Amino acid sequence: LDPRSVSQTAIAPDFGPDHVHSWSFGIQRELGSHAAFEARYVGNKAGDLFQSVNANPYVAGLAAGIADGVFNSSVLPAGVTPCTDPTQPGGGFQGTGLPLATDQFGNSVGYANCNFSRVIQYANTGFSIYNGLQSQLRLQNYHGFTGNVSYTYSHTIDNASEAFSSLSGSGSLFNLAQNPYDISSAERANSAYDYPHVLSILGVYDLPF
């Protein structure tokens, strides 16, 4: 198997740790000698999160659409053109010595970089924003009963909920950026981990004996 003909996984040259800024503001109120209520606003903003990016997109279809007047030329950055050399990895080279019209994924020749076929890159291009109102009613040792009721109303927004395949959240595979040439501003939507309403109830009763 010629390595030039298969997909590759790469790490961005400036790959590093993510960062999260968090803040909160809350109030507490005692209700008698056994109960208390708390309401708190919690927010955080995370940046440089891990994201899977198509580092060598297939652009032949877009280039053809621009040439036919279907797409505006702005859909491709200046200077980006599809590889037209079928003897190169970006042009559909299969390692057999014979130039083929399609690559191993069935795409016509025409990746952005002739030196590579499909390249998935892990980069620090993800972000997320969380805002939540968290409330809790606590009851402590009231005739042997201790418990609490918690309710959270929140909203989570991001541009990539998963960098790797996972059964969490949306239960989908990793989320590639839809537009690899405009990652920072082209995508923003409800996160796969957006659970607007969360209610939890906990209670423990100690028997008198």
Side-chain angles (χ1 to χ4, degrees), residues 92-140:
F93 176 74
Q94 298 295 288
T96 61
L98 299 174
L100 303 179
T102 60
D103 65 9
Q104 67 270 34
F105 297 97
N107 294 325
S108 299
V109 295
Y111 285 99
N113 188 336
C114 276
N115 296 318
F116 303 96
S117 57
R118 188 170 184 259
V119 179
I120 300 301
Q121 183 182 75
Y122 296 123
N124 296 112
T125 52
F127 70 85
S128 70
I129 300 171
Y130 171 86
N131 291 286
L133 176 62
Q134 302 176 355
S135 59
Q136 184 181 66
L137 176 63
R138 297 190 297 272
L139 192 64
Q140 183 70 32

Side-chain angles (χ1 to χ4, degrees), residues 50-179:
F50 304 160
Q51 183 179 13
S52 299
V53 180
N54 185 352
N56 191 31
Y58 167 73
V59 296
L62 291 176
I66 293 173
D68 294 339
V70 178
F71 301 134
N72 188 285
S73 60
S74 62
V75 299
L76 277 181
V80 176
T81 57
C83 179
T84 57
D85 185 352
T87 66
Q88 298 300 314
F93 176 74
Q94 298 295 288
T96 61
L98 299 174
L100 303 179
T102 60
D103 65 9
Q104 67 270 34
F105 297 97
N107 294 325
S108 299
V109 295
Y111 285 99
N113 188 336
C114 276
N115 296 318
F116 303 96
S117 57
R118 188 170 184 259
V119 179
I120 300 301
Q121 183 182 75
Y122 296 123
N124 296 112
T125 52
F127 70 85
S128 70
I129 300 171
Y130 171 86
N131 291 286
L133 176 62
Q134 302 176 355
S135 59
Q136 184 181 66
L137 176 63
R138 297 190 297 272
L139 192 64
Q140 183 70 32
N141 196 24
Y142 182 72
H143 298 293
F145 180 80
T146 296
N148 66 61
V149 177
S150 302
Y151 170 71
T152 299
Y153 174 69
S154 65
H155 189 200
T156 306
I157 297 171
D158 63 26
N159 68 332
S161 299
E162 284 291 345
F164 307 98
S165 299
S166 172
L167 296 179
S168 301
S170 62
S172 61
L173 300 178
F174 61 84
N175 307 124
L176 278 177
Q178 297 182 75
N179 185 349

